[in-house]
Amino acid sequence: MSIGENVKALRQRKGLTQSQLASASGMQLTQVSRIENNDTDPKASTLNKIIKALGCTANDIFDKPADSKMSLEDFIGSIDYRSGMDMKTAVVLWKQLSDHQQFIKQVSDTYKNDPDPQDELVRKMFRDQGLDPDVEIEKLKASSN
């Protein structure tokens, strides 16, 4: 894809009109239009304004923008259950976010050092039966493969 096509795709992904992008980047509407239509080669300073306005990277402008949208099913399935997020909130976020994978990573990073309550429950169950939790969990993992 060309720079113009990438700018247009990124703008549309953000739900912006050309006029809104022009306003957000301090450019003229005709300049945005000419860039998207590949009628001009924008200066680096102009591209920097676009990058800031779109909240993207230079790679997104020069390469095909990464598709960061996920299906609703994948999005919900990827949310760490420890976040306590309800279904309605997840659907609203899925509709509003432009970068689902970044959000999922941020949620995962938030909970990565927290103990998993389900894991603790399973370990307690094995201990209560006089079994070594580590040995029993390894047996379960081996039998599921």
Side-chain angles (χ1 to χ4, degrees), residues 51-99:
I51 288 168
K52 286 181 181 177
L54 293 174
C56 64
T57 67
N59 285 342
D60 290 329
I61 297 288
F62 291 105
D63 299 326
K64 182 178 178 188
D67 185 12
S68 57
K69 291 278 189 181
M70 302 169 78
S71 71
L72 179 58
E73 180 180 357
D74 289 343
F75 181 72
I76 291 170
S78 298
I79 295 173
D80 192 310
Y81 70 93
R82 292 175 287 182
S83 70
M85 188 178 304
D86 62 78
M87 187 68 66
K88 187 175 183 178
T89 302
V91 171
V92 169
L93 284 169
W94 178 79
K95 289 178 181 178
Q96 296 296 320
L97 294 170
S98 60
D99 191 338

Side-chain angles (χ1 to χ4, degrees), residues 5 12 21 44 55-56 61 66 70 77 94 104 113 135:
E5 290 170 322
Q12 290 174 334
L21 175 58
C56 64
I61 297 288
M70 302 169 78
W94 178 79
I104 295 298
N113 294 324
V135 171

Side-chain angles (χ1 to χ4, degrees), residues 3-19:
I3 290 174
E5 290 170 322
N6 289 341
V7 168
K8 182 177 182 177
L10 290 162
R11 174 183 59 78
Q12 290 174 334
R13 190 178 291 169
K14 290 282 188 182
L16 298 175
T17 64
Q18 284 184 340
S19 180

